[in-house]
């Protein structure tokens, strides 16, 4: 047998190599990942809180804010009436709920109450004004960490007054000047009393500050068929009754209404502050599924609007590009030459 010639060995080697490649378990090449376009960025929903009046019941606002923060729904806009304006001012200054709770526990009524005997035993309100200003480092409202509005009632006209600039303590004092208990406050030649007369829970003020999703906290007294225990309770319930219809209309414009179970806490019962905070926490947690669903709906609607706008812009760019190409001369079209048009984004 003659040995194979060298020129025949090469084809045989190639055949063997091909046979080896075709046999056995050969792993396929790993697929190449296709880059995915990043998700369309959507601005976060601007959450606002509208904190209602209710004297000592107002400590419940702290509990509500604490739970909102803990669940990732930190308000960026704050409006308040009466007791709500006190808590709102502190929160807008940059304090978190835990800091406010510490302030509440340490609060002594004598630091915010100054009775003037010659004015019929009414509270002047100067101490409250000074206390609030000290807590916010004497900053004017427009320089607080969050947009803030204190709502009061102009006594001469009965109109709602919304303070968003200037002396924070003075605005809170005006918002908290319960008729018959506090002396009316004079600002700029006009007289102001408690905002609960015209806006018990200031939802509209929060909207005016730019809130897109308003969480209202209603702690106002309701007519219960029982006689109030004190003068302050009587006045507060009278104000609540006067503003009840207006309050219901305004509350209907909120996205979520939280009602802590504090109606049995007296207007001057500061000893119940711990319980009021706890009731605020419980009510906020009960409303959390509603808040979460509402914010998500708003985010989805905003995302769809953004996508629709992008689609319209893309279609308009494609149409403009086609018009540009259609404007070519006859010779350019025959030659297949394209114009230097702005190509639509892909």
């Amino acid at each position: 047998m003659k040995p194979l010639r060298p020129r025949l060995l090469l084809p045989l080697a190639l055949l063997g190599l091909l046979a080896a490649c075709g046999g056995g378990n050969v792993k396929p090449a790993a697929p190449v990942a296709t880059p995915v376009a990043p998700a369309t960025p959507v601005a976060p929903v601007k959450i606002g809180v509208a904190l209602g009046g209710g004297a000592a019941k107002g400590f419940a606002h702290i509990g509500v804010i604490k739970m909102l923060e803990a669940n990732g729904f930190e308000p960026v806009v704050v409006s308040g009436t009466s007791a709500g304006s006190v808590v709102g001012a502190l929160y807008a200054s940059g304090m978190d709920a835990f800091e406010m709770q510490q302030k509440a526990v340490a609060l002594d009524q004598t630091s915010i109450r100054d009775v003037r005997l010659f004015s019929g035993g009414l509270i002047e309100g100067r101490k409250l004004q000074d206390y609030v200003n000290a807590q916010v480092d004497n900053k004017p409202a427009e320089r607080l960490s969050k947009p803030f509005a204190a709502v009061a009632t102009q006594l001469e006209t009965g109109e709602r007054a919304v303070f968003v600039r200037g002396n924070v303590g003075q605005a809170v004092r005006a918002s908290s000047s319960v008729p018959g208990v506090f002396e009316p406050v004079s600002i700029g030649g006009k007289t102001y009393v408690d905002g609960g007369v015209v806006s018990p829970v200031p939802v509209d003020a929060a909207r005016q500050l730019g809130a897109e999703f308003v969480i209202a906290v209603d702690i106002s007294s309701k007519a219960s068929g029982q006689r109030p225990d004190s003068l302050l309770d009587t006045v507060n319930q009278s104000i609540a009754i006067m503003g009840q219809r207006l309050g219901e209309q305004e509350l209907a414009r909120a996205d979520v209404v939280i009602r802590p179970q504090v109606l049995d806490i007296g207007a001057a019962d500061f000893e119940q502050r711990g319980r009021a905070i706890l009731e605020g926490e419980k009510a906020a947690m009960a409303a959390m599924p509603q808040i979460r669903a509402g914010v998500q709906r708003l985010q989805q609607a905003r995302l769809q609007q953004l996508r629709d706008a992008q689609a319209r812009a893309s279609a308009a760019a494609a149409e403009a590009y086609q018009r540009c190409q259609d404007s070519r001369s006859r010779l350019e079209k025959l030659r297949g030459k394209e114009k230097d048009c702005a190509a639509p984004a892909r």
Side-chain angles (χ1 to χ4, degrees):
M1 183 176 178
K2 294 182 179 181
L4 292 174
R5 296 179 182 178
R7 62 184 177 183
L8 293 176
L9 291 174
L10 183 58
L12 290 173
L14 290 173
L15 285 172
L17 182 60
L18 290 173
C21 290
N25 295 325
V26 180
K27 292 183 179 180
V32 178
T34 303
V36 178
T40 304
V42 179
V45 174
K46 294 180 71 173
I47 297 174
V49 284
L51 309 178
K57 300 177 181 67
F59 290 108
H61 294 315
I62 298 174
V64 170
I65 292 172
K66 185 193 293 186
M67 291 301 101
L68 291 177
E69 288 184 333
N71 285 272
F73 297 108
E74 180 180 342
V76 296
V77 164
V78 188
S79 64
T81 290
S82 198
S85 73
V86 179
V87 175
L90 269 58
Y91 187 55
S93 73
M95 293 185 194
D96 61 25
F98 288 96
E99 289 178 279
M100 290 193 296
Q101 183 168 338
Q102 290 176 341
K103 298 285 184 184
V105 171
L107 181 63
D108 181 3
Q109 290 187 61
T110 59
S111 64
I112 59 171
R113 181 177 297 176
D114 43 4
V115 178
R116 296 183 66 177
L117 299 177
F118 62 84
S119 62
L122 298 182
I123 297 173
E124 181 183 9
R126 170 68 66 174
K127 277 192 173 183
L128 175 62
Q129 175 176 325
D130 293 343
Y131 172 81
V132 171
N133 278 333
Q135 300 306 312
V136 303
D137 293 329
N138 291 302
K139 292 179 180 177
E142 63 271 23
R143 289 184 53 205
L144 297 180
S145 299
K146 302 176 189 286
F148 169 67
V151 178
T153 304
Q154 188 180 332
L155 194 57
E156 292 87 352
T157 63
E159 296 293 324
R160 183 188 67 149
V162 181
F163 294 98
V164 296
R165 300 180 62 83
N167 190 313
V168 175
Q170 192 176 44
V172 169
R173 176 185 174 188
S175 180
S176 306
S177 291
V178 180
V181 179
F182 279 76
E183 292 182 357
V185 179
S186 179
I187 302 175
K190 297 177 181 178
T191 310
Y192 298 93
V193 294
D194 194 293
V197 176
V198 292
S199 183
V201 187
V203 174
D204 294 340
R207 294 273 187 214
Q208 291 168 3
L209 286 175
E212 299 165 317
F213 189 88
V214 178
I215 300 169
V217 187
D218 182 16
I219 55 171
S220 59
S221 299
K222 305 295 186 294
S224 60
Q226 297 180 347
R227 183 176 178 177
D229 296 330
S230 67
L231 172 62
L232 186 55
D233 284 325
T234 300
V235 174
N236 269 282
Q237 184 159 316
S238 299
I239 291 174
I241 292 170
M242 286 188 292
Q244 191 165 359
R245 183 158 298 181
L246 285 173
E248 288 173 355
Q249 294 173 357
E250 192 165 1
L251 278 172
R253 294 190 283 274
D255 295 284
V256 174
V257 179
I258 297 176
R259 291 186 171 92
Q261 299 301 306
V262 292
L263 299 185
D264 60 331
I265 295 179
D269 195 355
F270 278 58
E271 299 304 316
Q272 294 272 16
R273 69 191 84 186
R275 185 191 146 212
I277 293 172
L278 179 60
E279 290 296 338
E281 293 177 10
K282 289 162 60 177
M285 287 306 298
M288 207 55 65
Q290 186 183 359
I291 295 170
R292 188 171 289 108
V295 171
Q296 187 175 20
R297 280 195 303 270
L298 200 56
Q299 287 175 326
Q300 289 174 343
R302 176 177 292 172
L303 179 60
Q304 188 58 51
Q305 289 174 351
L306 183 58
R307 286 173 175 168
D308 291 345
Q310 289 175 337
R312 288 193 298 269
S314 179
E319 184 179 349
Y321 177 80
Q322 190 58 51
R323 282 199 306 269
C324 178
Q325 293 299 336
D326 291 343
S327 68
R328 291 175 297 171
S329 67
R330 190 172 181 181
L331 181 59
E332 286 175 327
K333 290 179 181 178
L334 287 173
R335 293 172 58 189
K337 184 179 179 181
E338 291 192 356
K339 296 187 71 173
D340 186 17
C341 304
R346 296 183 181 278

